[in-house]
Amino acid sequence: MDEIYSMNQAGFWSCKIINKASHHIIGLLEFKMGIESYLSLLMMHHNHAHQGLGQQIYQGMEDYVISHGTRCIRIDVVKGYDDGVTNFWLRNGFHVAYDISLTWENMSLPAVVMKKSV
């Protein structure tokens, strides 16, 4: 809850993805809108992975931010964690912009910034 509160204070929207039939949470989406919108999290429960739902959720978010003036979308992807994640974003029109290091608490991980002009 502390992380959701701090992200909200920083202007991020934290969204639950809910299965209408079961009312279960099946994923999470977190983003911040702007001229360059920042997608900080798109995560689907493993029982709902590889069904095209992440693609549908991303497309809905992209359409929404474009309708509010976004010209570019950014996402940071941890290197070496899961190549399928990077490939997902490449298939969705993103390109690797540059390398960065992401830090959470006392841990630092190599990552790439990926961007898509819309």
Side-chain angles (χ1 to χ4, degrees), residues 21-76:
S22 68
H23 303 287
H24 290 122
I25 297 171
I26 62 170
L28 300 171
L29 175 70
E30 193 168 67
F31 64 98
K32 182 176 185 178
M33 290 194 311
I35 296 299
E36 178 180 271
S37 287
Y38 178 55
L39 175 58
S40 65
L41 178 67
L42 173 56
M43 180 172 57
M44 301 300 297
H45 187 278
H46 65 85
N47 289 344
H48 300 278
H50 308 291
Q51 297 176 21
L53 297 173
Q55 172 66 40
Q56 291 176 28
I57 298 300
Y58 168 72
Q59 190 60 57
M61 190 266 336
E62 180 181 292
D63 292 346
Y64 182 78
V65 298
I66 289 171
S67 75
H68 286 79
T70 289
R71 299 289 173 245
C72 178
I73 300 172
R74 171 190 170 157
I75 184 166
D76 302 340

Side-chain angles (χ1 to χ4, degrees), residues 77-86 109-112:
V77 179
V78 174
K79 288 183 177 182
Y81 174 70
D82 180 350
D83 290 337
V85 173
T86 302
L109 300 170
V112 293

